[in-house]
Amino acid sequence: MDNFNGIEPPMDTVGNIRVNNARIMCNNVFVHYSDKRAIDNLSLDIEAQKVTAFIGPSGCGKSTFLRCLNRMNDTIATCSVTGEILLDNQDIYAPEIDVVPLRARIGMVFQKANPFPKSIFDNVAYGPKIHGLAESKSHLENQVEEALRRAGLWEEVKDRLDQPGTGLSGGQQQRLCIARTIAVSPEIILMDEPCSALDPIATAKIEELIEELSEKYTIVIVTHSMQQAARVSHRTAYFHLGRLIEVGATKELFTSPHHKLTENYITGRFG
Amino acid sequence: MDVRTLIFLVGVIGLSFYFLGRYRIVTQSAQAVQRPHSLLHYYGLYPFFLAIIPSCFIIAIMQVADGFVLSILIEQYLPADIRGGDEFNKTITLSRIENIASGVIFGSPEDWLIAAANKWLIWSERAQLTTTILAISSSILLGSYAYMKVNPGFRSRNAVEQIILVMMMFCSGVAILTTIGIIFSVIFESLRFFALVSPMEFLMGLTWNPQFEGAERAGSGQEGLATYGSVPLFAGTFLISAIALTVAVPVGLMAAIYLSEYASPRIRATVKPLMEILAGIPTVVYGFFAALTVAPLVRGAGESIGLTVASESALAAGLVMGIMIIPFVSSLSDDVINAVPQSLRDAALGLGSTRSEMTKQVVLPAALPGIVASVLLAVSRAVGETMIVVMAAGLAANLSANPLDAVTTVTAQIVTILVGDQEFESAKTLSAFALALTLIVITLVLNLIALQIVKKYREQYD
């Protein structure tokens, strides 16, 4: 932990890490890649039915922490997570937890749109099929349509559902991935820089979509763009070199940051 | 001058041109204001290539052509009865002359033979002299031409890259031409066979029995006692290949899936090379493993449950062949499965798939073209495999779908037909080429079908 630009990091996170109706509660989380510490003693609540944004410079651990929330870090052999991450008061890292239904409850949208090399229909139908959510073919079709509608993609693709999802434009692919995630009916959606590879128009559509989705889902979004965090999120957490520096209501954090590091970052002095 | 000295000399000339060219550009650019267009060594490489490549071609062509031309030239010195006689005698006489000319003399040859040999010597000396003069002069002329072109404005990099491009095209052409050459030589010999035996008999006949081929069939056009129905051979080939693939494809594919999706990097690093050792074992070794170990086991197991098993069975050969081709399937499939992007795996896992759902529904479909390719490679190995069959499945051309019978394959028959001294005019010998041609056509068709299947079902992930 060096290079704090001469500013001491706080021992504890500035701002209120707890909220009233928390969906996820994280207590003293540490993440290590082999011997390298990626997340350092992090405690934070994720508020239900709200959008929480993680911001911070590259390598600050925001994506790592996001991937802890649905245990995607399990696929990395060298990664170890300690501490508590409670979903509805149940530690998701407890040995009796089965990671498969967990990931169905906590969906994820990735940085680079990664549709399966299958048809648009099959991409969205994949989740309902593996989880046995559809009772019949027509039920499945309804679910696919519903998910595509929610992702705002239905009008664009309804006539070519049998064409490959990889043939869509970048923004459409990302919305397809969101539709695919929604189709599993998750409770929480994690988004890892979902717009970093998209042009401004596609980005605007996704942001609009996030706003709509937040009425139904709890959303956590990692973003590089502070404007995006300001536009879409209700609560923002600022990460710096593996520590959670400051957290607060988005408006407040962007207008009157309490910690010097946060202020430097959002005024564009580094990062 | 002999060829080795000649090549050495051309090499020396080429190298001198390299240094000359470089020296010229260095001195010229020292005087001129202009910077040379290309890096300095390109100005040496251009004369170097021009000096050596055409010369090497001349030497190669003269080497190939001179024996041929000499035989034609020397023919006029042969006595009339040999010159007008049959092709075979003429060939023998010509090679005797060549032997005498190179100092290998058996007994006391006739005077005209010695005279012809002397002529041969003179002609071949002349040929060598011509080669030398042509090669050296083309080397010097083209080298100097290139040398004269060297100046700072000359785009020698482009010129050199053009030469290299042509050389690469030539190399790829060699591979294609060789394939075409092989196919044509097989086709011509097959046509000679089909002049003796009707294609219908060959393709539809159910009995393969070339052993009683007599001179009467080849010489006078009479029917011989031999029969050339190739169906049992192809049936045997497919039976054994099918058994081999039934072993190799599931085992190889499962191993590949384990290695790429489940095994830890350390296990993978150990197991994969170990499996590839299987591919390095000579097929002869597999052959006696099949004949001495597996065949008796199969036989014992069969008899213990009351089945009659031939001591050489298709099953034993097929099983061992299957083991042999496991690494072809597993190693290649493992590579293509690994090439499926991690982002697709993340997507599947992020939706709550289990590892096996992810593998079956996302990874394998994406890797399908590569997997089919690896199976195809295994098929062609199985169809073309000879040694194991010769040793373990026998040579009896039975038409049988029972894997416990002795069968034989196309390749095994080709070997038995062509081993030893053979009369090259007989239908028996020529049948080997017809078999080879049919085999080539069949594998080609299989490849085309598989390519169509891949095209239809592939899932492109880029």
Side-chain angles (χ1 to χ4, degrees):
Chain A
M1 291 298 135
D2 48 20
N3 185 20
F4 269 74
N5 295 31
I7 302 156
E8 275 298 304
M11 285 315 289
D12 295 310
T13 304
V14 178
N16 198 355
I17 56 172
R18 301 296 169 203
V19 292
N20 288 335
N21 58 337
R23 197 65 221 272
I24 302 178
M25 291 172 74
C26 307
N27 299 320
N28 307 95
V29 175
F30 289 83
V31 180
H32 291 88
Y33 291 114
S34 300
D35 293 333
K36 197 179 158 289
R37 180 169 292 180
I39 295 289
D40 190 7
N41 197 6
L42 189 151
S43 301
L44 180 68
D45 284 0
I46 306 289
E47 199 174 353
Q49 254 88 338
K50 287 277 161 21
V51 180
T52 308
F54 294 171
I55 60 169
S58 295
C60 66
K62 54 193 191 299
S63 286
T64 297
F65 182 61
L66 187 78
R67 290 168 69 95
C68 291
L69 299 180
N70 70 342
R71 291 184 55 176
M72 279 303 281
N73 281 342
D74 287 14
T75 57
I76 302 164
T78 54
C79 179
S80 70
V81 180
T82 56
E84 272 186 330
I85 298 180
L86 305 174
L87 172 66
D88 300 334
N89 290 321
Q90 166 71 57
D91 188 358
I92 63 170
Y93 277 89
E96 68 270 18
I97 287 288
D98 183 359
V99 68
V100 167
L102 174 79
R103 288 191 189 136
R105 288 175 69 191
I106 309 180
M108 188 156 198
V109 177
F110 295 84
Q111 186 167 356
K112 191 173 159 277
N114 52 0
F116 297 129
K118 300 176 188 294
S119 71
I120 294 171
F121 183 89
D122 286 341
N123 258 287
V124 183
Y126 178 87
K129 272 186 195 160
I130 58 168
H131 294 296
L133 300 180
E135 287 140 21
S136 65
K137 199 159 172 281
S138 62
H139 187 199
L140 182 67
E141 279 163 6
N142 285 339
Q143 284 178 326
V144 169
E145 182 181 337
E146 172 72 17
L148 282 170
R149 272 190 200 285
R150 279 224 200 110
L153 197 60
W154 176 250
E155 292 303 322
E156 289 160 62
V157 300
K158 64 180 176 192
D159 299 322
R160 45 171 174 155
L161 289 175
D162 56 340
Q163 282 175 26
T166 42
L168 297 171
S169 74
Q172 287 174 325
Q173 286 192 15
Q174 194 59 292
R175 277 182 283 150
L176 178 64
C177 293
I178 294 176
R180 183 176 66 185
T181 307
I182 296 172
V184 190
S185 328
E187 298 153 26
I188 299 165
I189 301 176
L190 309 177
M191 297 185 174
D192 190 356
E193 300 187 31
C195 302
S196 63
L198 302 182
D199 62 68
I201 295 169
T203 302
K205 279 192 179 159
I206 304 258
E207 286 179 4
E208 217 173 285
L209 176 59
I210 292 172
E211 220 171 301
E212 285 166 25
L213 293 176
S214 68
E215 290 163 15
K216 189 160 184 256
Y217 305 98
T218 302
I219 295 176
V220 185
I221 179 170
V222 164
T223 173
H224 247 103
S225 147
M226 284 173 283
Q227 290 84 349
Q228 185 169 65
R231 283 192 298 261
V232 301
S233 71
H234 306 101
R235 200 157 165 264
T236 299
Y238 173 66
F239 286 66
H240 192 110
L241 292 177
R243 292 208 188 167
L244 180 57
I245 304 297
E246 182 164 352
V247 62
T250 300
K251 250 184 216 145
E252 202 185 308
L253 189 113
F254 278 102
T255 48
S256 52
H258 293 291
H259 195 270
K260 192 75 184 150
L261 279 167
T262 321
E263 191 189 326
N264 283 352
Y265 182 72
I266 61 176
T267 52
R269 232 163 279 171
F270 69 91
Chain B
M1 203 182 302
D2 71 19
V3 183
R4 248 176 295 172
T5 352
L6 189 56
I7 290 177
F8 177 71
L9 206 64
V10 169
V12 170
I13 294 174
L15 274 181
S16 358
F17 271 114
Y18 175 82
F19 290 111
L20 278 173
R22 243 195 101 124
Y23 180 70
R24 187 175 156 109
I25 196 66
V26 170
T27 47
Q28 281 197 355
S29 50
Q31 291 157 10
V33 207
Q34 197 187 358
R35 279 192 60 211
H37 166 270
S38 314
L39 289 175
L40 293 182
H41 67 270
Y42 284 111
Y43 290 94
L45 279 177
Y46 181 60
F48 173 74
F49 280 142
L50 278 198
I52 64 162
I53 294 173
S55 300
C56 288
F57 264 101
I58 290 173
I59 297 172
I61 289 171
M62 291 299 275
Q63 277 312 106
V64 177
D66 85 349
F68 184 67
V69 176
L70 277 178
S71 319
I72 294 173
L73 287 175
I74 217 76
E75 244 186 70
Q76 51 183 308
Y77 298 99
L78 299 182
D81 57 325
I82 294 181
R83 208 176 338 151
D86 69 3
E87 202 59 38
F88 184 68
N89 251 337
K90 217 155 74 181
T91 318
I92 297 241
T93 318
L94 280 175
S95 60
R96 274 182 77 189
I97 292 172
E98 199 180 340
N99 278 338
I100 295 169
S102 53
V104 187
I105 302 169
F106 298 105
S108 47
E110 294 89 331
D111 283 346
W112 61 267
L113 268 178
I114 294 178
N118 279 330
K119 279 286 168 199
W120 179 287
L121 273 182
I122 292 168
W123 283 109
S124 77
E125 260 163 36
R126 278 188 200 161
Q128 248 176 30
L129 192 66
T130 327
T131 316
T132 313
I133 292 170
L134 276 177
I136 301 277
S137 56
S138 97
S139 176
I140 291 175
L141 277 176
L142 287 169
S144 334
Y145 164 75
Y147 173 74
M148 298 309 286
K149 275 175 84 172
V150 168
N151 70 63
F154 174 56
R155 303 184 166 192
S156 64
R157 172 169 48 77
N158 307 25
V160 168
E161 278 170 2
Q162 197 65 39
I163 293 174
I164 291 174
L165 178 70
V166 171
M167 272 162 52
M168 290 191 291
M169 276 160 62
F170 175 76
C171 290
S172 62
V174 167
I176 296 168
L177 284 179
T178 319
T179 317
I180 294 176
I182 290 174
I183 290 178
F184 268 94
S185 77
V186 172
I187 287 180
F188 284 132
E189 300 297 332
S190 307
L191 286 180
R192 287 172 65 192
F193 171 75
F194 287 126
L196 298 171
V197 177
S198 84
M200 279 307 284
E201 181 192 337
F202 177 73
L203 292 175
M204 302 293 170
L206 299 183
T207 323
W208 177 263
N209 188 3
Q211 299 309 327
F212 299 106
E213 184 63 49
E216 66 272 29
R217 181 165 191 156
S220 61
Q222 280 177 323
E223 284 290 306
L225 292 166
T227 44
Y228 292 97
S230 65
V231 171
L233 306 189
F234 285 100
T237 300
F238 291 124
L239 177 62
I240 292 185
S241 302
I243 296 171
L245 289 173
T246 329
V247 175
V249 171
V251 175
L253 211 51
M254 294 284 194
I257 292 170
Y258 169 71
L259 284 181
S260 56
E261 298 299 328
Y262 294 91
S264 71
R266 244 183 58 208
I267 292 181
R268 185 161 187 270
T270 333
V271 172
K272 210 180 167 197
L274 280 178
M275 289 193 66
E276 279 162 4
I277 289 178
L278 275 180
I281 297 175
T283 54
V284 164
V285 178
Y286 281 110
F288 63 66
F289 175 62
L292 300 181
T293 314
V294 179
L297 272 179
V298 169
R299 191 173 181 183
E303 275 166 1
S304 68
I305 53 171
L307 295 168
T308 0
V309 183
S311 59
E312 292 177 317
S313 64
L315 188 59
L319 285 177
V320 174
M321 199 191 279
I323 294 169
M324 180 191 83
I325 57 182
I326 285 173
F328 289 90
V329 180
S330 71
S331 189
L332 259 172
S333 303
D334 174 57
D335 287 342
V336 295
I337 290 173
N338 254 313
V340 173
Q342 182 63 32
S343 68
L344 289 184
R345 296 194 174 86
D346 283 348
L349 291 176
L351 287 168
S353 331
T354 62
R355 240 173 222 281
S356 89
E357 284 164 345
M358 172 193 83
T359 308
K360 275 183 301 198
Q361 292 166 27
V362 176
V363 176
L364 287 186
L368 183 74
I371 291 172
V372 173
S374 75
V375 172
L376 268 186
L377 183 70
V379 170
S380 50
R381 282 299 307 232
V383 171
E385 173 52 38
T386 313
M387 221 49 227
I388 295 176
V389 187
V390 171
M391 293 169 84
L395 292 168
N398 298 325
L399 181 56
S400 163
N402 179 358
L404 303 177
D405 280 350
V407 296
T408 190
T409 67
V410 177
T411 49
Q413 281 305 314
I414 293 178
V415 170
T416 41
I417 289 169
L418 290 182
V419 163
D421 293 334
Q422 296 298 333
E423 201 186 341
F424 235 73
E425 292 298 315
S426 83
K428 180 183 170 190
T429 316
L430 290 173
S431 68
F433 295 97
L435 287 176
L437 180 66
T438 321
L439 202 57
I440 291 174
V441 171
I442 288 175
T443 41
L444 199 69
V445 170
L446 281 180
N447 270 303
L448 289 177
I449 293 173
L451 278 181
Q452 288 304 315
I453 294 174
V454 168
K455 226 189 221 163
K456 190 164 175 213
Y457 290 104
R458 84 180 308 174
E459 294 189 341
Q460 200 118 26
Y461 52 76
D462 285 320

